[in-house]
Amino acid sequence: MHQAETIFLLFAAVAALVVVAHKLSLPYPIVLVISGLALSFVPRLPEVKLNPEIVFYFFLPPLLYPAALFTSWRDFRRNLRPILLLAIGLVLVTMVTVAWAAHTIVPELPWAAAFALGAIVSPPDAIAATAVIRRLSVPYRIEAILEGESLVNDATALVALQFAIAALMTGTFSLGHATLRFVWAAAGGIAFGLLVGFAMRWVQRHLDDPPVQITISLLTPFAAYLPAERLHVSGVLATVAAGIFLGWHSPLMVSARTRLQVYAFWEIVVFLLNGFVFIVIGLQLPGILRGLNSESLLGPIINALIISGAVILIRIVWVIPAMYLPRLLSKKLRERDPIPPWQQVAVVAWAGMRGVISLAAAFALPLALSNGSAFPGRNYILFLAFSVILATLVLQGLTLPVLIRKLGIKDDGVTDEEERTARLEANKAAVGLIENLAANDDFPRGVVDRLRAEYDERVQQLKLCAENQDDPRGEIATPQYQRLQHEALRIERQTIIRLRNEHVINDEALRRIQRDLDLAEARLTGD
């Protein structure tokens, strides 16, 4: 089978399996991984090998960038302390603990190789947790913390992995040098990312061509990531810094029509890359088993269960005191940021699924050391890393929705309330402008009255929504108004389609009217 045919079939499988996942109300990353695992044992199916360079240089930048682009800088900054405790503190603690556990159960595994394994499995996946969380009704802060953690933790883990590999290659390790190198990688990555952000903001401000601007948006993560890696700073943090910077400035940086198309473009790009990555994870098992060369799998499986259990347990043991101790020790912090409910802490502690970055990092381990000898325990590390990914994705991914429901966690409606407040303030400001223009006779009275009536209706609907306790979502209209408006829009669509079918209008006229109707429906529902 040609490689192009294989890729086509995998994307087709992704589309079909995501539909199945939605029908079964299961997180689609877990369904894709399990399905990929099942497909890997189909006879005569061509083997799909995970190329770490493709993952790091082709998949990772466009996956990180939109996550950063659509991240709220306000919420990221507000939750910086828990984010850094997870993305730096927990990653390093996980690396050290897993290294100790691995060296204990497999004494022939050198300490440096054990630390490499710890660095590989330490960062939770950037997509898996949020793919599960966003399907559920959880307080927005949980989502903000998990997304913020996933934006930073890969940088910590990949830099730590470089130190472990360097220690194996040279036989030496300096904590002072490693600390300075980590600070340089982090600070340099952020600085370079901001520089790319400044440059791209200037470029985007001087353009008004959606296809060109979308192309530049696609190239931006690569412009941040690739040169940063060449400069030996963190490409991950460079991409994240550029994304957050441009996300903050995008409301004034691009036109409305460009922004609408950019959102749709990144939505499909992220979906395709995510789907492909997760199904390819499952397809790697046969190749990993062949490289293991073990007469019995019982021992490796037991060791894999121990390491997987350690990874899960370390997060629980770290998250609980990290959430409570700082507040117990600091009255100021306790007053500014009260202790969260234990149910929310439990969700954060359990949302530690690993993913493709861990597997790609394992595959990226060198085949040989500088003296020509084989990299110690490379195949065993690959097997353990894959086992941790599979165990955390399946166990935690499938049980996280159950845990959220059992703990009675629900959306706190903060974002919806903020949205409604902002809509109301914006509409009131527009009404005030209309009143001033009417007083100055800048526009004909009929035009002013017509537009003022439209805005008055929006303000009234928003106030009714705020008073409707049975409909807490931050929508622009009450449910009754929405149903009536949807029916009216449906009739409009049927009419223009009928006119097109009767050759009264052409397809271009149809598409123009249809776009207006689609925008009206989106505005009505707040989508």
Side-chain angles (χ1 to χ4, degrees):
M1 185 180 291
H2 195 275
Q3 190 173 15
E5 294 172 329
T6 303
I7 294 174
F8 167 79
L9 290 175
L10 286 177
F11 277 121
V14 166
L17 291 169
V18 169
V19 173
V20 172
H22 290 162
K23 293 288 185 182
L24 298 176
S25 296
L26 293 173
Y28 78 84
I30 290 88
V31 173
L32 290 174
V33 169
I34 295 174
S35 300
L37 193 62
L39 287 172
S40 68
F41 292 101
V42 175
R44 298 183 180 179
L45 193 72
E47 184 176 356
V48 180
K49 294 184 178 180
L50 187 70
N51 187 325
E53 288 192 357
I54 291 179
V55 173
F56 286 130
Y57 296 110
F58 181 76
F59 283 93
L60 184 56
L63 284 175
L64 282 172
Y65 179 71
L69 188 68
F70 302 130
T71 290
S72 167
W73 168 240
R74 183 202 68 174
D75 295 317
F76 185 89
R77 186 180 56 190
R78 284 181 178 177
N79 294 291
L80 189 60
R81 181 184 52 80
I83 287 172
L84 294 182
L85 283 173
L86 293 170
I88 298 178
L90 178 57
V91 166
L92 296 177
V93 168
T94 302
M95 179 185 68
V96 172
T97 309
V98 168
W100 172 81
H103 185 72
T104 301
I105 62 178
V106 189
E108 58 270 22
L109 193 68
W111 272 110
F115 274 106
L117 171 63
I120 287 168
V121 300
S122 59
D125 186 70
I127 300 104
T130 52
V132 175
I133 289 292
R134 284 178 176 173
R135 298 174 55 253
L136 306 166
S137 296
V138 298
Y140 179 73
R141 191 178 186 189
I142 292 179
E143 188 176 330
I145 290 174
L146 292 177
E147 286 186 348
E149 175 196 7
S150 68
L151 289 175
V152 181
N153 59 12
D154 288 336
T156 307
L158 293 177
V159 171
L161 178 61
Q162 291 174 3
F163 295 148
I165 294 174
L168 264 174
M169 292 293 188
T170 63
T172 60
F173 175 76
S174 168
L175 181 60
H177 173 73
T179 303
L180 289 175
R181 173 74 181 83
F182 181 83
V183 172
W184 160 250
I190 294 172
F192 186 78
L194 291 175
L195 181 64
V196 172
F198 274 109
M200 292 303 175
R201 181 182 65 171
W202 183 88
V203 171
Q204 292 280 17
R205 278 181 169 175
H206 289 79
L207 292 173
D208 188 17
D209 190 334
V212 173
Q213 290 176 274
I214 291 172
T215 302
I216 292 173
S217 181
L218 176 62
L219 295 176
T220 298
F222 299 101
Y225 187 91
L226 299 178
E229 290 294 313
R230 290 288 186 184
L231 295 171
H232 302 291
V233 298
S234 174
V236 170
L237 291 181
T239 307
V240 169
I244 292 179
F245 178 85
L246 291 171
W248 177 262
H249 290 279
S250 64
L252 297 175
M253 191 175 68
V254 296
S255 63
R257 62 175 184 149
T258 299
R259 192 160 45 246
L260 289 171
Q261 294 181 48
V262 165
Y263 287 159
F265 170 79
W266 277 115
E267 185 177 10
I268 190 63
V269 167
V270 169
F271 171 76
L272 289 174
L273 292 181
N274 282 347
F276 189 81
V277 160
F278 280 112
I279 199 169
V280 167
I281 287 176
L283 292 169
Q284 304 309 302
L285 182 58
I288 293 173
L289 292 178
R290 281 196 301 271
L292 198 57
N293 290 326
S294 177
E295 294 182 1
S296 172
L297 286 176
L298 181 60
I301 289 175
I302 292 174
N303 292 339
L305 291 174
I306 292 172
I307 298 298
S308 300
V311 167
I312 294 173
L313 185 61
I314 292 163
R315 184 177 179 90
I316 296 173
V317 171
W318 175 268
V319 166
I320 294 174
M323 289 290 185
Y324 289 109
L325 276 180
R327 293 175 174 85
L328 294 176
L329 297 175
S330 172
K331 184 179 179 182
K332 276 187 177 180
L333 176 61
R334 196 163 57 247
E335 292 174 350
R336 187 176 70 251
D337 187 9
I339 296 175
W342 69 267
Q343 294 92 337
Q344 296 183 20
V345 177
V347 170
V348 174
W350 194 245
M353 291 83 82
R354 271 56 180 177
V356 69
I357 300 304
S358 294
L359 195 57
F363 275 108
L365 291 174
L367 294 173
L369 301 179
S370 53
N371 60 9
S373 60
F375 191 97
R378 184 180 186 276
N379 292 327
Y380 208 82
I381 291 174
L382 269 172
F383 176 76
L384 293 177
F386 180 86
S387 301
V388 169
I389 294 167
L390 188 63
T392 54
L393 272 177
V394 175
L395 175 63
Q396 294 183 296
L398 289 178
T399 56
L400 186 58
V402 178
L403 178 68
I404 291 172
R405 286 193 292 267
K406 292 294 184 182
L407 294 178
I409 296 176
K410 296 181 179 179
D411 188 356
D412 53 10
V414 169
T415 302
D416 293 336
E417 183 59 34
E418 290 180 355
E419 178 189 351
R420 185 184 293 114
T421 301
R423 285 181 182 272
L424 190 57
E425 288 297 316
N427 280 274
K428 285 181 177 179
V431 170
L433 174 65
I434 293 169
E435 294 288 352
N436 290 335
L437 294 175
N440 296 332
D441 293 326
D442 292 335
F443 292 90
R445 174 59 59 180
V447 173
V448 170
D449 291 341
R450 178 183 172 189
L451 189 57
R452 181 167 49 196
E454 183 178 338
Y455 273 100
D456 285 340
E457 176 63 23
R458 291 186 197 175
V459 170
Q460 182 63 24
Q461 287 294 327
L462 286 166
K463 289 180 178 178
L464 289 173
C465 283
E467 297 169 0
N468 188 355
Q469 300 299 322
D470 297 328
D471 183 52
R473 298 169 296 169
E475 294 177 343
I476 194 172
T478 61
Q480 296 85 356
Y481 184 93
Q482 283 188 355
R483 285 197 297 270
L484 180 60
Q485 187 69 5
H486 277 305
E487 287 299 313
L489 291 172
R490 182 178 62 82
I491 290 299
E492 285 193 67
R493 287 196 179 91
Q494 289 179 354
T495 302
I496 62 173
I497 293 171
R498 176 177 59 80
L499 293 173
R500 191 278 310 268
N501 293 343
E502 295 174 353
H503 307 294
V504 177
I505 62 174
N506 61 26
D507 285 270
E508 179 62 23
L510 170 72
R511 283 190 289 269
R512 290 181 183 179
I513 302 171
Q514 202 166 41
R515 175 178 171 80
D516 289 340
L517 296 178
D518 291 342
L519 290 173
E521 183 173 347
R523 186 181 68 182
L524 180 69
T525 59
D527 293 334

